[in-house]
Amino acid sequence: MKGMTEEQILLTAGEEKTASRFSACLLFSANALARAITAIGDEEFGRFGLCYSHAYLLCEVVAQPGISPSQLSETLYLTPSTITRLVEKLELKRLVRRESEGKKTLIFPTPEGEALQPEVSKAWDQVGARYSQILGDTNVCQLTQQVLKAAKTLGEDF
Amino acid sequence: MKGMTEEQILLTAGEEKTASRFSACLLFSANALARAITAIGDEEFGRFGLCYSHAYLLCEVVAQPGISPSQLSETLYLTPSTITRLVEKLELKRLVRRESEGKKTLIFPTPEGEALQPEVSKAWDQVGARYSQILGDTNVCQLTQQVLKAAKTLGEDF
DNA sequence: TATTTTTGCTTGCACATACAAATATAACAT
DNA sequence: ATGTTATATTTGTATGTGCAAGCAAAAATA
């Protein structure tokens, strides 16, 4: 079996095994893809000491100053607790600040945050350019839409 | 802007913003999809105290007794260090065992591991069934192939 | 108005994952 | 044989993420 590709294994392995591996493969492959692309993202955003979710969050906050954690949670498809943690990190880096208003929390960009945003956007484009070059523009476009749609559908129904 | 869907934002936001968000969206959406599906997986595999990568690793070890960490690393698209950590966990649960042979390490399933594998496979199918029901069979089939291919391509070129 | 329920956000804890460095063995060159 | 380089695996450390629980404020109900 050594040196065989995944497809070959799928084709030659026993019946049940093939079925089970294949049917769950989206769980596997989705994570594999996420890790592969995140690696690219981390490299680009790492120049600012950010990871991709920091970058995305910062852009959202700059685009919508005063946005709430729950809104961010929906937009980024991340748990509220995760949002809190990300905001904490960005607060430490003085890129955003929090304002409590009753039980709500408003998140604003700091001047530094706003100043950094264009660079972050540039890095963002750079990430896109890199994986587009590897995967092909058309492919990426199509894949992105399908993947996003699937993520949304699962997010709603689950 | 409240209550708008992602597409609406994309369509109505300013030019550069649209471009940057969209071009990097695969980074974002791939992670979102991975998290959404992983949530399902964790629920199913959680019954055995496993996560999806534990489950996958166990199945591989049962299928190929004596497999090495580096081989697993390639198959699972995970770092060698991550493989070590996963194997440690499974070793604690007495599902696999390690044998050192020179600088190589051979990983074998324990009897308990082999006994558990069918159940894990069943859970595996269950995961597939659940997201197939939500996303649609055809969709899943197509998506899985595309996603896997993209992950592989990125894994090679990066 | 007082009590209950719901909502929004934050923590405690746990875990998968990765990078960089360490270790140990094998392969190779001289 | 000996010194060097390459390979395989493991650790130290850090981080993003989520669940369950906590907490505080708002809303609803009585």
Side-chain angles (χ1 to χ4, degrees):
Chain A
M1 294 279 275
K2 296 177 184 179
M4 294 176 69
T5 66
E6 186 70 17
E7 294 93 298
Q8 287 174 322
I9 291 176
L10 287 172
L11 290 173
T12 57
E15 278 282 331
E16 327 87 34
K17 204 160 293 168
T18 300
S20 68
R21 287 208 207 182
F22 185 75
S23 63
C25 213
L26 187 54
L27 168 57
F28 167 72
S29 59
N31 274 284
L33 179 60
R35 285 192 301 272
I37 298 196
T38 300
I40 297 178
D42 284 347
E43 202 176 299
E44 295 295 332
F45 295 123
R47 310 185 200 286
F48 316 113
L50 302 178
C51 67
Y52 86 96
S53 39
H54 289 142
Y56 209 102
L57 199 153
L58 178 60
C59 287
E60 281 299 314
V61 172
V62 170
Q64 304 185 48
I67 192 172
S68 70
S70 47
Q71 282 175 292
L72 284 168
S73 171
E74 279 179 27
T75 307
L76 304 190
Y77 295 94
L78 288 172
T79 310
S81 66
T82 301
I83 298 293
T84 299
R85 296 284 152 67
L86 293 177
V87 172
E88 277 172 1
K89 282 281 169 67
L90 286 180
E91 221 175 9
L92 272 177
K93 296 179 194 300
R94 315 279 180 207
L95 297 175
V96 306
R97 68 186 166 80
R98 270 183 287 194
E99 256 181 44
S100 272
E101 187 173 285
K103 74 176 170 185
K104 293 204 169 192
T105 296
L106 310 180
I107 305 167
F108 296 92
T110 62
E112 296 97 310
E114 281 193 69
L116 188 59
Q117 194 269 348
E119 280 194 78
V120 170
S121 275
K122 213 180 292 174
W124 208 264
D125 290 335
Q126 190 64 25
V127 174
R130 282 181 61 179
Y131 64 62
S132 288
Q133 195 204 337
I134 299 176
L135 297 177
D137 259 327
T138 327
N139 209 347
V140 166
C141 239
Q142 184 192 347
L143 196 57
T144 302
Q145 285 183 347
Q146 289 181 329
V147 167
L148 187 60
K149 187 174 181 182
K152 275 187 186 175
T153 308
L154 285 175
E156 290 163 5
D157 287 28
F158 181 60
Chain B
M1 295 279 276
K2 295 178 184 179
M4 294 175 67
T5 66
E6 186 72 15
E7 293 93 299
Q8 287 173 322
I9 291 177
L10 286 174
L11 289 173
T12 57
E15 277 281 331
E16 329 86 33
K17 204 159 294 169
T18 301
S20 68
R21 287 207 207 184
F22 186 74
S23 64
C25 213
L26 186 55
L27 168 56
F28 167 72
S29 58
N31 275 285
L33 178 62
R35 283 193 301 271
I37 299 195
T38 300
I40 297 178
D42 283 347
E43 203 176 298
E44 295 295 332
F45 295 123
R47 310 186 201 286
F48 317 112
L50 302 178
C51 67
Y52 86 96
S53 40
H54 289 143
Y56 210 102
L57 198 153
L58 177 60
C59 287
E60 281 298 314
V61 172
V62 170
Q64 303 185 48
I67 193 173
S68 70
S70 47
Q71 281 175 292
L72 284 168
S73 171
E74 279 179 27
T75 307
L76 304 189
Y77 295 92
L78 288 171
T79 310
S81 66
T82 301
I83 299 293
T84 298
R85 296 280 149 71
L86 293 177
V87 171
E88 279 172 1
K89 282 280 169 66
L90 287 180
E91 221 174 9
L92 271 177
K93 296 180 195 298
R94 315 281 179 203
L95 297 175
V96 304
R97 68 185 165 80
R98 270 183 287 194
E99 257 181 42
S100 273
E101 187 173 283
K103 74 177 171 184
K104 293 204 168 188
T105 296
L106 310 181
I107 305 167
F108 296 91
T110 63
E112 296 98 309
E114 279 192 72
L116 187 59
Q117 194 269 348
E119 279 194 79
V120 171
S121 275
K122 214 180 292 173
W124 208 263
D125 290 334
Q126 191 64 25
V127 174
R130 282 182 61 179
Y131 64 62
S132 288
Q133 195 204 337
I134 299 175
L135 298 177
D137 259 328
T138 328
N139 209 347
V140 166
C141 237
Q142 185 191 347
L143 196 57
T144 302
Q145 286 182 345
Q146 290 180 327
V147 167
L148 188 59
K149 187 173 180 183
K152 274 187 188 177
T153 307
L154 285 174
E156 289 164 4
D157 287 28
F158 181 62

